[in-house]
């Protein structure tokens, strides 16, 4: 059968092929009469896959995709879906796909769509048909096993599939009802045929400690173990390393150096040194772990690191990009140990202007390790005699704060933007359950590290650019002008004056004027929706939020593969060699690293959401403070203030009036009462319903009876697919105050916040997990 498919596709691809009927094709390919039924089935299957096209006259040809559109498909629980074209800039650009036009495409698939119906009036979406699946989002899924009659089934987590997947006879792989399992799809479901899969792994009984984490790891296909070849290579590197051998490296072991990290950190990427001369000139040293020395191109360690792309920081564990013998030991800049580094040695004048820069492979020895809390204490009280810090170290840390604030002021003077939205971190108990939450601190100790890492990243990027070296840049594209115009309209609806939204200085003014005021969150969330996500690419584009023309990630090679690629190019130049790079390969690598970064962030969000929903199952009916983070015609999305989780207040639960969407102001307005629910508003809500399997949280206003929620669920949290089809609820069900989160919009703070590090606190004792925030 596979041979038939190959022969048919080869035939229709020939330059002189003229469309012929199925029977004529069978004769041309000399298909035996006894095999015709199988041949016919193969061709029909190729037509369903979009690899062939059958015209009205029954002739078969290669499909014409010249006018087709490529995008990502999202299927609703009711079978219909939407394709968001890669070129889309607004929700109205999405293409409605009826259930019978979706074939066996599932959420997240990259598909080719043909337009079959144009809208007849405003407010209606284009309608299309999926003609080909270019790439599956995943072949591996996670769900809950159950049995029905003589068959075993798995209800897939989330809303990807609205019907369970058949997995064979009861007890397959020893599964019992209620077990969480991983499975591979062997036949994707269609409106006419159920899906079929094979269980590949039993994860454990639903609700057991650790099963939620393992479920998310498998659902996102995150590799969580290293193969023996990579581990052996890491051990060899460890056995060959000697602290007494530094070769031709610049010896900076006598230079006063400190690290500032979360209390639970184990992978120390960066260390800082700082001196100031009598003329007021600053000598800043940003020393980054020399991972490229240990991880050579095309090695087993490199292959493994490239595949992972990034370390993954989950609430209760870290999945490192490199084996721990490197990430937590050999490459980590531990205090009082000789470690290899790549040092960016930057000179600034008293005004914070960069006057010179040089780079070197070095050997350093960190004199003092600070937590953020300890560093902030020293910065606030450098003269304290009982701080346990040597006087020269305290003086340097205080000087670090002074220089960092000068650099920060210069950065904002050139137009850098920073959206400060509340971020809540969850606290976990011993069994991995949510025990509390706290507001994430962003004090000056974090800002010091942020500014120094930004300075080093920019210096390296400009140096590589000047030397014509190909490297992965961290690019934050300019916002779409239409989205900025929409934001300006929204700001004016709040009584604010914003005539030139394309001016970053006007945006700065709006953010500054609303700081601490009731409309602060509305403005910040509104601007958030206008920004794009940052990406990795070799293209020479700037970073919008940072107002930087040259920017890359250089400071975290232990946990980010793009940083490792930048290190390799830089060290080649330091050795007097011309860095090798292939533009096409760099584009592919950039796309891969962008995907793995977003996968890691999505997995973190998913697990946090799952743990919080589990926690809220026992708190039905309780009241919480909330902020409106999204407004659609079918309801409003609210983020709880006390816990970092988002839920939907469906429009059917707003029983006091009939509401319509005022699109320009992101507001639901009551037709009779004029009551308004606007983006950024603070409100009070009650937990109405939790669906763990579908990852859904239903809320009602605090003054609404919970019976409204029952009507809400009967109405479904996904709107019906009218001809004015708007994207369904599930497409916008999460918004978090994180950069590049893939939620309602793009980054919140600028990319420099990736250089601050975030730890995860647990009760009664902290889990050993830390993270530098990725922007």
């Amino acid at each position: 059968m596979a041979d038939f498919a190959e022969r048919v596709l080869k035939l229709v691809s020939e330059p002189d092929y003229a469309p012929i009927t199925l029977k004529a094709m069978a004769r041309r390919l000399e298909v035996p009469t006894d095999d015709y039924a199988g041949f016919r089935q193969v061709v029909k299957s190729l037509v369903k896959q979009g690899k062939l096209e059958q015209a009205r006259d029954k002739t078969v040809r290669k499909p014409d995709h010249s006018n087709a559109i490529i995008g990502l498909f999202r299927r609703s629980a009711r079978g219909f879906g939407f394709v968001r074209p890669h070129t889309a800039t607004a929700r109205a650009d999405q293409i409605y796909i009826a259930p019978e036009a979706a074939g066996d495409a599932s959420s997240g698939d990259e598909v080719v769509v043909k337009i079959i119906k144009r809208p007849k009036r405003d407010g209606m979406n284009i309608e299309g048909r999926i003609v080909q699946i270019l790439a599956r989002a995943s072949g591996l899924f996670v769900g809950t096993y159950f049995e029905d009659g003589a068959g075993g089934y798995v209800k897939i987590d989330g809303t990807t599939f609205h019907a369970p997947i058949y997995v064979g006879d009861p007890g397959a792989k020893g599964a019992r009802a209620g077990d969480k399992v991983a499975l591979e799809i062997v036949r994707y479901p269609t409106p006419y045929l159920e899906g079929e899969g094979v269980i590949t792994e039993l994860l454990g009984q639903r609700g057991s400690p650790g099963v939620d984490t393992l479920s998310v790891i498998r659902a996102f296909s995150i590799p969580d173990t290293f193969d023996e070849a990579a581990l052996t290579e890491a051990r060899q590197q460890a056995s060959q390393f000697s602290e007494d051998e530094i070769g031709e490296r610049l010896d900076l072991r006598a230079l006063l150096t400190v690290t500032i990290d979360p209390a639970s950190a184990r992978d120390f990427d960066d260390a800082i040194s700082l001196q100031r001369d009598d003329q007021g000139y600053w000598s800043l040293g940003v020393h980054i772990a020399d991972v490229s020395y240990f991880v050579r191109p095309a090695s087993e360690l490199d292959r493994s690191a490239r595949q992972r792309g990034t370390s993954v920081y989950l609430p209760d564990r870290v999945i490192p990009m490199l084996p721990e013998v490197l990430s937590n030991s050999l490459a980590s800049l531990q205090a009082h140990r000789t470690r290899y580094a790549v040092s960016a040695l930057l000179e600034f004048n008293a005004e914070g202007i960069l006057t010179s820069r040089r780079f070197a492979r070095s050997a350093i020895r960190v004199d003092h390790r600070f937590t953020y809390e300890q560093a902030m204490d020293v910065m606030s009280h450098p003269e304290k005699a009982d701080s346990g810090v040597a006087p020269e170290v305290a003086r340097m840390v205080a000087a670090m704060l002074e220089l960092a604030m000068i650099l920060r002021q210069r950065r904002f003077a050139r137009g850098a933007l920073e959206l400060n939205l509340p971020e809540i971190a969850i606290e976990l108990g011993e069994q991995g359950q949510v025990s509390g939450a706290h507001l994430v601190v962003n004090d000056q100790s974090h800002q010091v590290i942020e500014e120094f890492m930004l300075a080093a990243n920019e210096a390296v990027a400009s140096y590589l650019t000047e030397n014509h070296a190909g490297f992965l840049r961290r690019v934050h594209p300019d916002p779409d002008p239409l989205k900025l115009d929409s934001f300006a309209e929204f700001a004016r609806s709040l009584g604010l004056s914003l005539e030139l939204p394309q001016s970053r200085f006007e945006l700065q003014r709006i953010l500054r004027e609303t700081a601490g005021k009731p409309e602060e969150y509305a403005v910040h969330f509104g601007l958030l929706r206008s920004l794009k996500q940052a990406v990795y690419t070799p293209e020479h584009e700037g970073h919008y939020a940072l107002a930087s023309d040259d920017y890359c990630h250089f400071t975290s090679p232990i946990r980010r593969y793009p940083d490792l690629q930048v290190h390799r190019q830089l060290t080649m130049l330091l050795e007097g060699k011309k860095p090798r790079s292939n533009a096409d390969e760099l584009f592919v690598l950039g796309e891969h690293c962008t995907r793995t970064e977003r996968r890691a962030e999505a997995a973190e969000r998913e697990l946090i959401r799952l743990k919080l929903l589990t926690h809220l199952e026992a708190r039905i009916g309780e009241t919480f403070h909330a902020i409106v983070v999204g407004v659609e015609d079918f309801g409003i999305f609210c983020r709880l203030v006390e816990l970092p989780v988002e839920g939907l207040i469906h429009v059917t639960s707003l029983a006091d009036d009939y509401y319509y969407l005022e699109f320009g102001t992101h507001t639901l307005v009551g037709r009779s009462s004029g009551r308004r629910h606007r983006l950024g508003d603070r409100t009070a809500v009650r937990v109405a319903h939790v669906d763990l399997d579908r990852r859904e949280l239903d809320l009602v206003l605090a003054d609404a009876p919970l019976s409204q929620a029952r009507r809400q669920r009967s109405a479904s949290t996904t709107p019906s697919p009218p001809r004015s089809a708007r994207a369904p609820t599930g497409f916008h069900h999460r918004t978090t105050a994180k950069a590049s989160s893939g939620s309602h919009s793009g980054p919140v703070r600028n990319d420099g916040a990736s250089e601050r590090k975030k730890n995860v606190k647990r009760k009664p004792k902290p889990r050993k997990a830390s993270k530098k925030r990725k922007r």
Side-chain angles (χ1 to χ4, degrees), residues 25 44 256 364 386 459:
M25 182 179 287
K44 286 188 173 295
L256 183 61
I364 69 169
D386 59 346

Side-chain angles (χ1 to χ4, degrees), residues 44-296:
K44 286 188 173 295
S45 176
L46 292 173
V47 171
K48 282 186 177 181
Q49 296 172 41
K51 296 180 179 179
L52 291 179
E53 195 171 66
Q54 194 165 28
R56 291 182 179 179
D57 61 0
K58 303 299 183 182
T59 57
V60 179
R61 69 194 72 201
K62 191 176 181 180
D64 177 17
H65 293 159
S66 57
N67 295 319
I69 298 171
I70 297 176
L72 294 179
F73 177 63
R74 289 287 184 273
R75 187 190 287 273
S76 77
R78 295 188 175 186
F80 70 91
F82 290 83
V83 170
R84 182 180 181 85
H86 291 324
T87 57
T89 59
R91 209 184 74 180
D93 297 333
Q94 295 183 112
I95 301 167
Y96 170 72
I97 308 293
E100 63 275 10
D104 64 352
S106 61
S107 288
D109 289 349
E110 185 176 39
V111 299
V112 178
V113 179
K114 273 207 157 185
I115 303 303
I116 59 176
K117 187 180 294 185
R118 296 281 177 181
K120 296 181 179 179
R121 61 180 182 273
D122 292 341
M124 299 175 65
N125 289 74
I126 294 172
E127 188 169 342
R129 174 173 57 88
I130 293 176
V131 296
Q132 186 177 355
I133 298 172
L134 297 178
R136 290 285 187 184
S138 175
L140 186 68
F141 296 88
V142 170
T144 304
Y145 177 82
F146 70 96
E147 294 174 359
D148 185 9
Y153 293 84
V154 174
K155 176 67 180 72
I156 303 297
D157 291 347
T159 58
T160 300
F161 301 110
H162 65 280
I165 303 297
Y166 174 72
V167 291
D169 295 335
K173 277 270 187 178
R176 297 174 299 171
D179 280 349
K180 300 297 291 189
V181 300
L183 73 156
E184 287 186 8
I185 300 294
V186 296
R187 184 180 67 221
Y188 283 80
T190 71
Y192 319 106
L193 191 64
E194 71 176 2
E196 185 174 347
V198 175
I199 294 176
T200 58
E201 184 180 2
L202 295 180
L203 305 180
Q205 190 68 20
R206 178 184 179 184
S208 298
V211 172
D212 54 357
T213 299
L214 189 57
S215 296
V216 169
I217 290 171
R218 293 294 181 267
F220 284 87
S221 301
I222 295 173
D224 61 339
T225 59
F226 292 95
D227 59 35
E228 192 55 39
L231 292 173
T232 299
E233 198 171 281
R235 296 186 194 107
Q236 289 173 347
Q237 291 283 0
S239 65
Q240 295 168 6
F241 177 75
S242 171
E243 292 191 35
D244 299 324
E245 299 291 335
I246 69 169
E248 298 181 357
R249 289 176 176 270
L250 180 64
D251 190 351
L252 299 177
R253 288 176 290 183
L255 184 65
L256 183 61
T257 309
V258 301
T259 60
I260 303 178
D261 292 273
S264 57
R266 296 295 177 268
D267 51 345
F268 307 116
D269 285 288
D270 54 87
I272 301 296
S273 61
L274 183 64
Q275 297 172 320
R276 192 178 192 182
D277 65 19
D278 295 337
Q279 284 74 42
Y281 279 70
W282 302 89
S283 296
L284 172 66
V286 180
H287 313 282
I288 306 302
D290 190 358
V291 175
S292 63
Y293 174 81
F294 302 104
V295 182
R296 307 298 172 89

Side-chain angles (χ1 to χ4, degrees), residues 635-712:
I636 55 179
F637 295 94
C638 293
R639 185 177 192 266
L640 304 189
V641 172
E642 294 87 351
L643 295 170
V645 66
E646 296 78 40
L648 173 68
I649 300 177
H650 199 272
V651 69
T652 55
S653 74
L654 302 175
D656 62 321
D657 206 340
Y658 290 97
Y659 285 82
Y660 67 93
L661 176 65
E662 196 174 83
F663 185 78
T665 63
H666 304 291
T667 305
L668 272 186
V669 183
R671 294 185 183 275
S672 301
S673 64
R675 187 176 183 182
R676 303 172 71 85
H677 300 284
R678 185 180 60 194
L679 181 72
D681 281 354
R682 286 180 171 271
T683 187
V685 300
R686 287 202 291 165
V687 176
H689 182 84
V690 173
D691 189 327
L692 284 178
D693 291 333
R694 294 173 60 83
R695 309 290 197 264
E696 290 179 346
L697 171 62
D698 293 338
L699 305 170
V700 295
L701 293 175
D703 57 1
L706 290 184
S707 59
Q708 295 292 347
R710 287 193 287 273
R711 286 198 292 272
Q712 169 183 335

Side-chain angles (χ1 to χ4, degrees), residues 756-770:
R756 295 197 301 275
K757 307 145 198 173
K758 181 176 114 182
N759 62 335
V760 181
K761 293 185 177 179
R762 302 187 63 195
K763 290 183 178 180
K765 63 181 181 180
R767 174 76 66 167
K768 294 181 179 179
S770 67

Side-chain angles (χ1 to χ4, degrees), residues 527-556:
L527 183 54
L528 166 66
R529 296 168 67 97
S530 304
L531 301 181
K532 296 180 180 179
Q533 289 181 282
V535 298
Y536 292 110
T537 176
E539 287 189 291
H540 191 175
E541 297 181 32
H543 194 292
Y544 178 79
L546 294 175
S548 177
D549 294 329
D550 275 309
Y551 193 71
C552 69
H553 277 168
F554 158 74
T555 54
S556 298

